[in-house]
């Protein structure tokens, strides 16, 4: 970066400020492969409120983002059916990074490099507040889930599967 930015300034926080979205920042010690469970544990939060930002692609290799509860998985079959795609598969980490501009483990749906459709598990919208990645590892934003369907334009879907 040309200038030294405040440690919490990322493309995601810049995007949120530009769109007038209120948020607070929180940090935790990032652990490789710790995922949302580790973040929830360190923050003393419910993992159901820690939202994963997953970069996937449809059968035509068009990228998309799906936002899912930390304690749940995505049914790619159900997601594909709901978005009228032949299939949906996770992107490889290097491809996800190229589309989003964020390092895997630090992916935010806000301020992505490439404009991609965003889908959100519908039950996330019922929560009073969520924790979602702010654009770098170990950096979460506490935000209203209404910011996902409002300024971000995320489309609600039902594709959650219990972990296990």
């Amino acid at each position: 970066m040309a200038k030294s930015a405040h440690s919490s300034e990322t493309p995601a926080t810049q995007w949120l400020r530009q769109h007038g979205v209120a948020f607070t920042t929180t940090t935790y010690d990032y652990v490789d492969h710790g995922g949302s469970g580790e973040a929830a544990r360190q923050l003393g939060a419910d993992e159901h409120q820690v939202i994963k930002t997953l970069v996937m692609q449809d059968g035509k290799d068009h990228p998309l983002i799906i936002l899912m509860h930390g304690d749940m998985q995505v049914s790619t079959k159900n997601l594909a059916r709901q978005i009228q795609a032949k299939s949906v598969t996770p992107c490889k980490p290097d491809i996800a990074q190229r589309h989003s501009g964020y390092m895997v483990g630090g992916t935010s749906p806000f301020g992505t490099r490439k404009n991609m459709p965003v889908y959100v598990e519908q039950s996330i919208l019922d929560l009073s507040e969520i924790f979602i990645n702010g654009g770098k590892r170990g950096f979460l934003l506490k935000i209203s889930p209404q910011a996902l369907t409002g300024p971000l334009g995320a489309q609600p879907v039902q594709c959650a599967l219990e972990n296990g």
Side-chain angles (χ1 to χ4, degrees), residues 66 83 117-122 125 148-149 152-157:
I66 177 71
I83 66 171
V118 180
Y119 300 94
V120 57
E121 173 58 37
Q122 187 162 350
L125 302 174
L148 304 175
T149 54
L152 188 61
Q155 298 298 308
V157 293

Side-chain angles (χ1 to χ4, degrees), residues 36-64:
S36 56
E38 179 62 23
R41 185 188 68 72
Q42 288 189 38
L43 297 173
D46 181 347
E47 189 180 3
H48 199 66
Q49 288 182 274
V50 179
I51 307 306
K52 301 183 280 196
T53 303
L54 304 167
V55 182
M56 299 198 174
Q57 59 192 21
D58 67 16
K60 296 180 181 176
D61 293 338
H62 297 132
L64 60 101

Side-chain angles (χ1 to χ4, degrees), residues 122-140:
Q122 187 162 350
S123 57
I124 290 170
L125 302 174
D126 297 333
L127 299 172
S128 59
E129 62 186 12
I130 58 172
F131 294 92
I132 195 161
N133 200 287
K136 60 185 174 185
R137 293 174 171 178
F139 180 62
L140 295 180

Side-chain angles (χ1 to χ4, degrees), residues 48-155:
H48 199 66
Q49 288 182 274
V50 179
I51 307 306
K52 301 183 280 196
T53 303
L54 304 167
V55 182
M56 299 198 174
Q57 59 192 21
D58 67 16
K60 296 180 181 176
D61 293 338
H62 297 132
L64 60 101
I65 289 176
I66 177 71
L67 304 174
M68 182 55 67
H69 296 284
D71 60 351
M72 303 191 97
Q73 295 177 358
V74 174
S75 166
T76 54
K77 231 181 235 184
N78 287 346
L79 179 58
R81 194 174 307 121
Q82 289 179 56
I83 66 171
Q84 282 86 49
K86 188 174 180 177
S87 64
V88 172
T89 56
C91 285
K92 290 187 168 108
D94 61 321
I95 306 268
Q97 188 170 335
R98 192 165 58 237
H99 291 315
S100 70
Y102 295 114
M103 185 177 282
V104 172
T107 305
S108 179
F110 309 108
T112 55
R113 176 178 292 151
K114 197 178 231 185
N115 195 15
M116 298 176 268
V118 180
Y119 300 94
V120 57
E121 173 58 37
Q122 187 162 350
S123 57
I124 290 170
L125 302 174
D126 297 333
L127 299 172
S128 59
E129 62 186 12
I130 58 172
F131 294 92
I132 195 161
N133 200 287
K136 60 185 174 185
R137 293 174 171 178
F139 180 62
L140 295 180
L141 306 173
K142 193 179 202 181
I143 194 167
S144 165
Q146 279 56 55
L148 304 175
T149 54
L152 188 61
Q155 298 298 308

